[in-house]
Amino acid sequence: MGILLQLLFTGLGIGAIYALVALGFVLLIRAAGVVNFGQGEFAMLGAYLLVIFFNLLALPYWVAILLSIAIMAAFGVVFAGATYWPLRNRGGLPVIISTIGASIFLENMVLVLYGPAAEQVDGLFDAPGIQVGPVFMDSQYLSIMVIATLLVLLQYLIFEKTLLGKKLQATSQDKEMASLLGIPVAAMILITFAYSSAIGGIAGILIAPILFVSTGLASIIALKAFAANIIGGYGSIPGAILGGLALGVVETLGAAYISVPYKDAFAFLMLLAFLLIRPQGLFGEKISEKA
Amino acid sequence: MTLTRRTALASAAAVSSFAIIGRARADDTVKIGVCSPLTGAAAEVGRIQLNSLKLSTEHVNAKGGIVGRKVELIIEDDATTNPGVVLAFSRLAANPDIAAFIGSIRSTQVNAMAPDVAKVGKPVMFGGTDPTLTHNGYKWLFRCRPNDSFSARVIADYGVKTLNKKKWAIVASTDAFGTGGQKALVDALSKAGITPVLVQGYSNQQADFTPVVLAVKQAEADIVASYFTFEPDLAVFARQLVQLGVRIPWVGSPSIVSPVSVGLAKAALNGTYGIADFTPDANDESRAFTAAYGKIYNNAIPDSGWTYDAMQILALAMNTAKSTEPAKVRDAILAIKGYKGTEGIYNYDQNGDGLRGYNVVKNEGGKIVYDKHIEFDA
């Protein structure tokens, strides 16, 4: 029983990481109708900024974190200008390809500028974790779970309860109509990119103490975060969270009780199963219902 | 002086001749092709290996080069992938002036490029430790590190005879390196009458090792042996081993003592043992190499000397053969006996294996301390 509880905790912790990155995907899907495959690289850049400000420049930890998040938000605007804006009227596919290209560029840019050495960075708390009965709760996993929950709440409030959120959703659904209603469409999209990039940066900062900081950081999590987004329901905030958590738990239990080497396969089998049986995901709407 | 057509043509011819002679001089080098991970997951390891290789090339050139000619490296990025190394090797192989090659430290990559190596028919020095690489009939592959049949035998020997452990858990990557090491270790332990209580594979670049750590715990092992390919994986495993309360001796393959692993895992690796083909203070050659390396690269300590040795061995073989002709170089490499390199004493056998032992070292508070060298005759 103790082992099962430990596996569940770890699965939820890993799942929270996927969920955090998936949140960034959801934001852009909902507000700009864009699938950004550079989302994992946002996490990588956030983690590297923390290394630069905290490890190299020795700024206070929280100053380094806030500075990293602020720079990531600004970077989101630059990213939008480079990958989305020039192609915004050419449909979804060119933008997706553009974000894939940007992700490759960013990874290699970091490799050239910073070098290939993986870096270790401190977590939010000095204590490695707490022992609760048979379960060791890693303090960083706990932090991720709490912050992911807070970010979901914040995101839900922004999208559902604020005028800004309504404007963002209106922009996503019909840009022309939103523009006719006086919504500054361009500003809404840039805000979304900035917020999405900042969320990605936060994810990177939180997972850096667990997975270390390297250019490979993005590839470890980005694909699974995207899978979590599909499983949860394309563009659904609660879906991204639940999809991420489910993915983390399934792959951890699958690895422990069936096969460790096939751990990654469980995640993608789950994705395949959803695409076949429930393509709209856990919280998605059927297209036919929208008509 | 007036410029006539004749003087203009003569001048042009003279300039062209000088250019051709100059080019011939610049081209009059012994070219060695290098497939190196400049990018990708092993880029950091690749950087250190390339630094060592450049240093070795400088030393060879300072002693007169190869058959009186300077050595020139032609480097291609293998991107730490199998398709990458095949592409890198094919680019190099297209250059007929390249006399020999230096390949990968990763067995899976050497496996991938081996068929092309056979077609090209020129010596390739490599560092991958999968024992089968030199036993598949590929006569142009020459190893500059001891293979995993020896690493496994050293791990088994040290764990059984020195640490007196009987209940073994083996954790290994499912790639060619890990699988090869795991099989060799199971074999070495079976010769000591031991069947491991756990043999656990994992796929590279994992975010979490909890299922593996819990499997070790459940198996009630009294020692863990490992073959990790990537240092971040090893560091995550090390930290979770401590967090989940598994406190048993751990003897790992060389990645456990690499500066990258030690830097990432920090205290989580304290007290662990590793086998190392290269240890800075193992012998006079490794001490001299480490000092020279540190002088150039800001007191950094190299984690491997195999690329340094590879260049020295190629130079020795070509100078002995007085030729860069592949067949003569091959014979000269296989004839090398008792060559003292940074990785140990090379005695090449007919398969292309030169080394038969490892150093055992211990991590004492982040410092890698040499314990003993265990060598086998065959």
Side-chain angles (χ1 to χ4, degrees), chain A residues 3 6-7 10 14 108 111 116-120 128 131 136 138 141 209-212 220 252 255-256 260-261 263-264, chain B residues 38-40 43-44 174 200-203 205-208 210-212 214 218 232 235-236 239-240 243-244 263-264 266:
Chain A
I3 284 177
Q6 182 67 62
L7 290 168
T10 307
I14 291 288
N108 285 285
L111 200 60
E119 291 280 348
Q120 191 265 346
Q131 191 76 38
F136 177 83
D138 187 303
Y141 279 141
I210 296 172
L211 298 182
F212 308 109
I220 294 177
T252 304
V260 172
K263 187 178 170 192
D264 292 335
Chain B
L38 306 179
T39 59
E44 175 61 7
T174 48
Q200 182 64 71
Y202 72 90
S203 49
Q205 294 187 293
Q206 288 298 314
D208 175 60
T210 304
V212 179
L214 291 177
Q218 276 184 300
V236 172
R239 193 180 53 213
Q240 293 189 320
Q243 286 179 345
L244 298 177
L264 292 178
K266 294 196 166 28

Side-chain angles (χ1 to χ4, degrees), chain B residues 45-191:
Chain B
V45 175
R47 186 182 62 81
I48 298 169
Q49 287 173 19
L50 206 53
N51 286 346
S52 305
L53 182 57
K54 286 175 181 170
L55 179 64
S56 189
T57 307
E58 277 177 30
H59 287 181
V60 168
N61 283 337
K63 286 181 187 167
I66 292 176
V67 288
R69 291 148 66 195
K70 296 282 182 196
V71 180
E72 180 187 352
L73 298 177
I74 299 179
I75 301 159
E76 285 285 344
D77 179 17
D78 70 25
T80 327
T81 64
N82 289 359
V85 82
V86 170
L87 186 64
F89 184 74
S90 68
R91 278 190 191 137
L92 292 170
N95 182 346
D97 294 337
I98 291 179
F101 302 86
I102 298 194
S104 177
I105 192 174
R106 301 204 177 276
S107 299
T108 180
Q109 288 184 299
V110 180
N111 243 331
M113 65 195 279
D116 288 346
V117 171
K119 282 181 208 157
V120 171
K122 289 178 183 175
V124 175
M125 316 304 283
F126 72 97
T129 51
D130 178 356
T132 62
L133 292 171
T134 48
H135 290 74
N136 284 338
Y138 293 120
K139 65 176 194 174
W140 296 102
L141 291 174
F142 303 94
R143 199 184 325 251
C144 296
R145 296 172 75 211
N147 75 47
D148 284 333
S149 69
F150 297 107
S151 77
R153 285 163 72 182
V154 171
I155 290 173
D157 186 281
Y158 193 77
V160 173
K161 291 181 185 162
T162 307
L163 301 174
N164 295 315
K165 300 298 176 189
K166 302 275 183 273
K167 296 172 77 177
W168 287 68
I170 302 170
V171 178
S173 164
T174 48
D175 65 14
F177 157 72
T179 308
Q182 171 234 300
K183 281 181 186 162
L185 183 53
V186 170
D187 190 40
L189 286 171
S190 77
K191 284 177 182 152

Side-chain angles (χ1 to χ4, degrees), chain A residues 100-178:
Chain A
I100 292 171
S103 73
I104 296 167
F105 171 75
L106 288 173
E107 190 173 325
N108 285 285
M109 182 191 75
V110 171
L111 200 60
V112 170
L113 293 179
Y114 195 87
E119 291 280 348
Q120 191 265 346
V121 69
D122 289 351
L124 295 181
F125 300 100
D126 289 337
I130 48 170
Q131 191 76 38
V132 180
V135 181
F136 177 83
M137 296 188 170
D138 187 303
S139 59
Q140 200 62 24
Y141 279 141
L142 285 172
S143 308
I144 290 170
M145 288 176 193
V146 171
I147 291 170
T149 309
L150 292 175
L151 283 173
V152 172
L153 283 174
L154 180 70
Q155 211 153 306
Y156 176 78
L157 289 174
I158 288 173
F159 272 97
E160 306 298 336
K161 305 290 179 191
T162 68
L163 187 60
L164 176 67
K166 302 288 182 199
K167 286 180 181 175
L168 289 169
Q169 288 200 57
T171 306
S172 168
Q173 282 163 18
D174 192 331
K175 291 182 187 65
E176 272 187 29
M177 182 57 79

